[in-house]
Structure formats: structure tokens, C-alpha cells
Amino acid sequence: MAIIVNGGGKGKGDFAPCPEYTGRAVCVDITPLKEYETQYGVKAKFKVAFEIELQDNSRNPIQPWVVMTAPMTPSLHEKAGLTKFLKDWFGRKLTEAETSSLDLDSLIGRPANVVIVHEQSQDGSRTFANIKLITPHKTGEALKPSGLWVRLQDRPPRDGEAAQTSGGGGNDASYRRAPAGPPAEAGDLSTTKVHVGQHKGIELRELTEEAIGKLIEHWLPKAKTAQKQTADDKRLVAALEWYQEKFATQAADTDADEIPY
């Protein structure tokens, strides 16, 4: 089962993703619940964080890379993403006792073997590190936590930010918040009208993600490099850049195993 994680993205203002990797890992965090918008409404979700043996030389002090799973709902329904993930990790079906009550914090310190690969965002602007496979650690010495990771629930908010009541904060590059809305001074960018192509005169919010994606891919690069921009051009560029960032963040936070409960 492919578990998509937020290992960071490569682009303006982003941190480099965790390198591709196959080997030992150990759980070091279960993040606080945080609300996410899904096709089934708002869901409270969490992530599982794993340390691996590779060292992140960009940190001071140098410490092991940490990757996180996609947001998962705390449900042990037989078809839930968390249940499938734990089955792969444990290498067996969950026991009756585990499915009736499982203390997620008890997973911290549990070893695993993982395969991490790189994948691109839909628009190709970002690279993400994904846990392609997780299996139980069976032979040899298990990896142990380094002790350098500070749980998100124990971190103070960053400067200028209020503490989050339903999710983890802190300055971890591998933890991505849900997309923020447009700047207040810019108004609602989703109401920007398209003034070019087949969707001329239609507000962006009325278009499908595919249609907006095509504008981002084909029109936006040319418009940004044009020597002359009209007022309509500038408004559409700003709106499409906001959507581009929103789509990239949503792609990082998507739980492919989401089901209604």
C-alpha cells in the first residue's frame, strides 16, 4: 500500500525532500489531531512520523531524517486507511483487542522497514518523499529513536503564530499545514474571472480543477514572462498562483484511502 507523506517539497520557500531510501525506520511521533477538508466534510486526522538512518545535514544539530504519513482518520474500521497501514506495518491482521481499542501513542518506538521514493506534484513544481512500502522489522537490530525529535504536541508555536488547538505546530519542515486562504487585501481570488480561452467570462471557482490546472500549465508561464500585462492579466496570474499553491498543498495532504464513516 502506498502511503503518501509530506517529506517536504522542492521549490520557492520549501525545504528539500527526504532522499530516496530503503531500510530501517522507527516511529517517533503521533501528531495531534487536525481538521482537514475532505469530500466527506471536515475530518480530524493525524500523521505518523518515522525516523530513518539517513542524516539530515541541513539541520543544526545534524539529526536523522523524519518522514510522515499522509493524514489519517483515527478509525480502525476494516476498510479504513489506518487499518490497512497498520496491517502492513505489523505484517498481520489486527487482533480483536487492537481493533476495539488501540493507544496510538504506544506505536512510538516501534521499528519498521520502509521504502521511500520521490514523486512529483501534479504541476511538476515540487518533489515529495513518499513511503511507498512499510513492512515489519523482523531480522537484525531494530533502529532506535535518536532522541533528537521533539514531538509536535510539545513544541511551542512559531514566532507570530498562535498555538493550534487541533493540530501540530512547530518548525518542522516535514509537516505541512492545510492551504491558507487568499490574502485579505486581495479579496476572494476564486471569484476572479477568466478573460482568455474557452472559459472567458467564467469565475475560477466555477471551473473544474482540471480546467484550472490547464490554465496553470499552459497560460500562466507565458503570462508571467510577458513584457506587458493588462490589469486582467495581473489579477488572473495572482489567482492562478494561489490555486497552484493550494493544489500542491492538497496533493501533499491527500489520503488516498479516505472513506466515509
Side-chain angles (χ1 to χ4, degrees), residues 24-234:
R24 299 186 300 168
V26 60
C27 178
V28 292
D29 203 356
I30 304 295
T31 69
L33 288 173
K34 176 181 176 180
E35 292 186 343
Y36 290 84
E37 288 284 351
T38 77
Q39 60 180 317
Y40 305 109
V42 176
K43 296 284 188 179
K45 300 186 179 187
F46 69 96
K47 300 178 183 181
V48 184
F50 291 90
E51 269 188 355
I52 62 175
E53 289 189 89
L54 294 181
Q55 298 295 307
D56 183 356
N57 296 323
S58 67
R59 291 183 180 271
N60 185 19
I62 295 173
Q63 56 189 277
W65 277 96
V66 173
V67 292
M68 293 193 182
T69 64
M72 293 186 284
T73 53
S75 169
L76 291 174
H77 184 281
E78 62 179 0
K79 294 184 179 179
L82 175 59
T83 301
K84 296 177 182 179
F85 176 71
L86 293 177
K87 285 181 179 179
D88 286 346
W89 186 3
F90 294 0
R92 58 170 174 78
K93 292 183 178 180
L94 302 184
T95 65
E96 184 176 348
E98 288 170 336
T99 56
S100 62
S101 178
L102 177 63
D103 179 6
L104 293 175
D105 280 353
S106 68
L107 299 174
I108 296 176
R110 189 184 184 100
N113 286 328
V114 298
V115 175
I116 299 172
V117 301
H118 283 176
E119 293 182 2
Q120 300 294 315
S121 61
Q122 186 176 9
D123 62 5
S125 65
R126 295 169 183 251
T127 301
F128 296 100
N130 299 337
I131 298 180
K132 198 69 174 180
L133 179 68
I134 183 168
T135 57
H137 177 82
K138 293 183 177 180
T139 61
E141 184 179 357
L143 187 64
K144 296 180 180 179
S146 67
L148 296 173
W149 178 261
V150 178
R151 294 194 63 184
L152 297 189
Q153 69 179 26
D154 298 329
R155 298 185 183 192
R158 289 187 290 188
D159 292 342
E161 290 184 344
Q164 293 179 294
T165 59
S166 61
N171 54 4
D172 171 41
S174 64
Y175 188 85
R176 182 180 296 279
R177 287 177 171 78
E185 66 273 13
D188 186 354
L189 295 180
S190 69
T191 63
T192 302
K193 285 188 177 181
V194 180
H195 66 287
V196 294
Q198 60 179 327
H199 301 301
K200 185 175 181 179
I202 301 176
E203 292 182 355
L204 286 171
R205 63 182 177 180
E206 298 179 3
L207 300 181
T208 64
E209 289 190 6
E210 181 180 4
I212 296 174
K214 288 182 178 179
L215 284 169
I216 291 173
E217 179 181 0
H218 300 295
W219 183 82
L220 183 58
K222 296 179 182 179
K224 291 171 66 174
T225 58
Q227 292 184 347
K228 293 183 179 180
Q229 288 185 341
T230 65
D232 287 337
D233 289 338
K234 293 178 180 179

